[in-house]
Amino acid sequence: MSHATSRLAAATLAAVAALAGPARAGDPLPSWNEGPAKQAIVAFVAKVTTEGGRDFVPVAERIAVFDNDGTLWCEQPVPVQLYFVIDRVKALAPQHPEWKEQEPFASLLKGDLKGALAGGQHALLELLLATHAGMTTTEFEQVVVEWIATARHPKSGRLFTEMVYQPMLELLALLKANGFKNYIVSGGGVEFMRPWTERVYGIPPEQVVGSSIQTKFERRGGTAVLARLPEIDFIDDKEGKPVGIHRHIGRRPIAAFGNSGGDQQMLEWTQAGGGARFELLVLHDDAAREFAYGPARGLPDTKSGAFPPELDELAKSAGWTVVRMKEDWKQVFAGG
Amino acid sequence: MSHATSRLAAATLAAVAALAGPARAGDPLPSWNEGPAKQAIVAFVAKVTTEGGRDFVPVAERIAVFDNDGTLWCEQPVPVQLYFVIDRVKALAPQHPEWKEQEPFASLLKGDLKGALAGGQHALLELLLATHAGMTTTEFEQVVVEWIATARHPKSGRLFTEMVYQPMLELLALLKANGFKNYIVSGGGVEFMRPWTERVYGIPPEQVVGSSIQTKFERRGGTAVLARLPEIDFIDDKEGKPVGIHRHIGRRPIAAFGNSGGDQQMLEWTQAGGGARFELLVLHDDAAREFAYGPARGLPDTKSGAFPPELDELAKSAGWTVVRMKEDWKQVFAGG
């Protein structure tokens, strides 16, 4: 670049920066449209951080909890961890010739996910344990690190870690900048999330709460390891979420963010504390930019872009903030 | 105070401060005698915090784990939580007239601790569950807060929270000042510790890992609560400590501090990670200032001020640092 060109470039950059302007630079939530949801978030953060104010909360007590699937990243057409299960079954199949004849593995290996899951919870559990146990915690972490680096969403072709919601990244950053400690509290596997949540969300492993299988201390070749066992330890969903929060954090959150009936108890538990509280549900009603499935749990069992009536009523009577993706979010995914 | 007296006082204070001198002001471990234990600690902190050095560890990975009973506070003549159990049995006895005839309660109410514990693990479990379950988590927290504010050590007459080791408080502060996140990893009840660890040790509730009973989400009068159930959830001792660390923190510590066989696996797990590591055991060999019981677990089952041979050998072969209270600590308890 010549000296003149470089000066022109610098001037252009300055002009663009000026256009973007102080208003935008001062807006911590630029991907959020103006509206009641954005206003409610900004007002809550302002009131709990105003020293001397009636609703002031000391930094140490600023705990916020976030569901992951459908709240921080895309959970459609099926939750990301299920793609991990499918890929792991394929990778492990050569060591398990019996899987060719044995359900739910046989269907999965033929690419028939519906057939594989026809066996319900039992089939899902069998797939989970076969792919998540049988190695040390260190080995499992490496498997996740390698998979998440290349695995892509079947529809968009983008990395799963790019299918995260830009408005929620801005919300996480806003809370962090205001002294909040952000936790993930997810039904997903805790060891499936921890290897990448810091890089993608700025949330370190010790602030991730999730479902888990049992581990066992062993010595192998004189070295201490933790072996992953094919036994469920804890399901961090529905009634399990407040239990997991209390067990892990030992403080009641002052803000909770979810998107489905699996998060209801976490929001109720948060709200039942004294002082200023904030609860928010993301409503998936945007078929054009994402999916319109409302609050579907797991596999898409509804085409409706609305909450089921019970959750809708509860959100209204409890005064929970509802984010409608279609109207509240200027941009859905990180990176556009 | 006259103006002249006040000037004199100020001058005296300045002189005293000068006497204490920069050497003392610069020593982060003033209650530690010079010797190999103190040297090893200081050298470890220096090497993991020296940027560009071979052993440098980023702040986010500076995790240190501490046993509580016998490592941070006095566990003799019996562990503090057992005094809590005794006091709770007495407080609850009017609601349980049957306890007058029923072991292990009957003996305990007569002041016969040995008799009450003659039933072994089963008796202890019965006492624990009867005193730790049957209320909400919020109610239990209040009970602990009130008890710990007034409960005193039977021999010294001081508050239990004053029976904490001054050298270990200095060590916690040194690590914290150097970017470490300090965790308690104790066989004690997690909800028995969390209400006071921040005040006493500067360790917030979310950095306390311990044993737990099960809790259950319920709605009482329309409000979300967590009920404490009379069922063991997790025993955070021996093989349980690495499991609890991994479950809770999701990172391997780079430093571990304990005092008994209950901490052995935690130290092994810490040491098995790559890079610079530090492991330390406190040896109770000081009958004059504390107790000389070596590494006794729970009730004093030995009068020896030495580790059992296995632990002693392991510490030597693994290169663990051993702190001998008698020679390594200038002062034992906080406040003298």
Side-chain angles (χ1 to χ4, degrees):
Chain A
M1 204 187 282
S2 76
H3 187 68
T5 325
S6 140
R7 277 181 61 199
L8 180 64
T12 311
L13 277 173
V16 169
L19 268 178
R24 183 167 172 105
D27 181 357
L29 300 174
S31 299
W32 292 70
N33 287 316
E34 299 304 324
K38 179 172 181 173
Q39 276 166 23
I41 293 168
V42 171
F44 171 74
V45 173
K47 77 179 175 184
V48 298
T49 57
T50 301
E51 277 193 66
R54 191 173 55 96
D55 292 314
F56 178 75
V57 176
V59 166
E61 291 165 27
R62 293 181 199 160
I63 304 286
V65 287
F66 290 82
D67 169 56
N68 185 38
D69 297 305
T71 299
L72 295 180
W73 75 352
C74 181
E75 65 175 345
Q76 295 291 341
V78 302
V80 178
Q81 200 166 354
L82 200 44
Y83 293 110
F84 174 74
V85 167
I86 295 168
D87 287 349
R88 289 305 297 160
V89 167
K90 287 178 188 162
L92 295 168
Q95 299 161 44
H96 294 275
E98 74 280 10
W99 284 357
K100 272 188 192 150
E101 314 292 331
Q102 185 186 323
E103 291 298 351
F105 304 98
S107 292
L108 205 68
L109 287 170
K110 283 180 212 134
D112 177 11
L113 180 60
K114 270 202 178 157
L117 296 180
Q121 286 296 323
H122 180 76
L124 185 59
L125 186 64
E126 206 172 343
L127 290 168
L128 272 172
L129 295 179
T131 52
H132 284 66
M135 71 288 278
T136 69
T137 53
T138 308
E139 288 161 356
F140 185 72
E141 184 181 349
Q142 193 52 36
V143 167
V144 173
V145 164
E146 285 168 18
W147 185 83
I148 203 80
T150 57
R152 291 174 182 275
H153 191 272
K155 199 171 152 184
S156 73
R158 299 180 64 192
L159 291 173
F160 285 117
T161 49
E162 293 171 337
M163 300 291 286
V164 296
Y165 304 129
Q166 176 63 25
M168 297 305 283
L169 294 185
E170 293 167 5
L171 177 55
L172 287 169
L174 171 66
L175 293 175
K176 197 172 180 177
N178 279 280
F180 278 77
K181 220 180 232 186
N182 297 323
Y183 283 82
I184 290 173
V185 179
S186 168
V190 65
E191 297 199 48
F192 175 70
M193 297 181 282
R194 281 175 165 165
W196 50 268
T197 54
E198 180 139 42
R199 173 171 60 84
V200 174
Y201 301 134
I203 297 180
E206 61 268 32
Q207 286 163 225
V208 180
V209 183
S211 297
S212 53
I213 60 173
Q214 290 179 23
T215 63
K216 185 170 178 290
F217 178 85
E218 287 179 8
R219 294 182 190 91
R220 294 188 181 174
T223 296
V225 302
L226 288 173
R228 290 172 59 81
L229 307 183
E231 294 287 338
I232 291 290
D233 176 50
F234 182 66
I235 302 290
D236 191 53
D237 199 29
K238 299 191 173 86
E239 289 81 4
K241 288 204 175 192
V243 171
I245 289 169
H246 187 70
R247 175 194 280 192
H248 193 103
I249 312 176
R251 298 187 199 260
R252 200 189 296 247
I254 65 167
F257 304 85
N259 79 305
S260 78
D263 304 313
Q264 178 186 326
Q265 290 84 351
M266 171 168 89
L267 269 62
E268 287 182 66
W269 170 246
T270 298
Q271 189 163 31
R277 304 280 150 167
F278 189 75
E279 307 81 25
L280 182 149
L281 288 174
V282 175
L283 178 67
H284 296 262
D285 62 354
D286 194 334
R289 296 186 299 174
E290 201 225 15
F291 295 87
Y293 66 101
R297 301 282 310 144
L299 296 177
D301 54 5
T302 168
K303 293 292 173 199
S304 148
F307 287 126
E310 327 77 88
L311 189 60
D312 195 48
E313 250 169 57
L314 181 61
K316 272 181 198 135
S317 69
W320 295 348
T321 296
V322 173
V323 170
R324 290 172 176 76
M325 289 180 76
K326 199 149 65 174
E327 59 189 69
D328 285 319
W329 287 359
K330 214 172 277 177
Q331 177 182 332
V332 172
F333 292 112
Chain B
M1 205 185 285
S2 76
H3 186 65
T5 325
S6 140
R7 274 180 62 199
L8 181 63
T12 311
L13 277 174
V16 169
L19 268 178
R24 181 163 174 110
D27 182 357
L29 300 173
S31 298
W32 292 70
N33 286 317
E34 299 305 323
K38 180 173 180 173
Q39 276 166 22
I41 293 167
V42 171
F44 172 74
V45 173
K47 76 179 175 183
V48 298
T49 57
T50 301
E51 278 193 65
R54 191 173 57 95
D55 292 314
F56 178 74
V57 176
V59 167
E61 292 165 27
R62 293 183 199 158
I63 304 287
V65 288
F66 289 83
D67 170 54
N68 186 38
D69 297 305
T71 300
L72 296 179
W73 76 352
C74 182
E75 65 176 346
Q76 295 292 341
V78 303
V80 179
Q81 199 166 354
L82 199 46
Y83 293 110
F84 175 74
V85 167
I86 294 169
D87 287 350
R88 289 304 297 158
V89 167
K90 287 179 189 161
L92 294 168
Q95 300 161 43
H96 294 275
E98 75 280 11
W99 284 357
K100 271 187 196 153
E101 314 293 330
Q102 185 187 322
E103 292 298 349
F105 304 99
S107 292
L108 205 68
L109 287 170
K110 282 180 214 136
D112 176 11
L113 180 61
K114 268 200 179 156
L117 296 180
Q121 286 297 320
H122 180 75
L124 185 60
L125 186 64
E126 206 173 342
L127 290 167
L128 272 172
L129 296 178
T131 51
H132 285 66
M135 70 289 278
T136 68
T137 54
T138 309
E139 288 160 357
F140 185 73
E141 183 181 349
Q142 194 52 37
V143 168
V144 173
V145 164
E146 285 169 19
W147 185 82
I148 202 80
T150 57
R152 289 174 183 275
H153 191 271
K155 197 171 153 184
S156 73
R158 300 180 64 193
L159 291 174
F160 285 117
T161 50
E162 292 170 339
M163 299 291 286
V164 298
Y165 304 128
Q166 176 63 24
M168 297 306 282
L169 295 184
E170 293 167 6
L171 177 54
L172 288 169
L174 171 66
L175 293 176
K176 197 173 180 178
N178 279 280
F180 278 75
K181 219 181 235 185
N182 296 323
Y183 283 82
I184 290 172
V185 178
S186 168
V190 65
E191 297 200 48
F192 175 71
M193 297 181 282
R194 280 175 166 166
W196 52 267
T197 54
E198 180 139 41
R199 174 171 60 83
V200 174
Y201 300 133
I203 297 180
E206 61 268 32
Q207 286 164 224
V208 181
V209 183
S211 297
S212 54
I213 59 174
Q214 289 179 23
T215 64
K216 185 170 177 288
F217 178 84
E218 286 179 9
R219 295 183 189 89
R220 293 188 183 174
T223 296
V225 302
L226 288 174
R228 289 172 60 81
L229 307 182
E231 296 285 338
I232 292 290
D233 176 48
F234 182 66
I235 303 290
D236 190 53
D237 198 28
K238 300 192 173 86
E239 289 81 3
K241 289 204 175 192
V243 171
I245 288 169
H246 187 71
R247 175 194 278 190
H248 193 104
I249 310 175
R251 296 189 202 259
R252 198 190 297 245
I254 65 166
F257 304 85
N259 79 305
S260 78
D263 304 312
Q264 178 185 328
Q265 291 82 352
M266 171 169 89
L267 269 62
E268 287 182 67
W269 170 245
T270 299
Q271 188 164 30
R277 305 279 149 167
F278 189 74
E279 307 81 24
L280 183 149
L281 288 174
V282 176
L283 178 68
H284 297 262
D285 61 354
D286 193 334
R289 297 186 298 175
E290 201 224 17
F291 295 87
Y293 66 101
R297 301 280 313 143
L299 295 177
D301 53 7
T302 167
K303 294 290 171 198
S304 147
F307 288 127
E310 328 76 88
L311 189 61
D312 195 48
E313 251 170 57
L314 182 60
K316 272 181 198 135
S317 68
W320 296 348
T321 296
V322 173
V323 170
R324 289 172 177 76
M325 289 181 75
K326 201 151 60 172
E327 59 189 70
D328 285 318
W329 287 359
K330 213 172 280 178
Q331 177 182 332
V332 172
F333 293 113

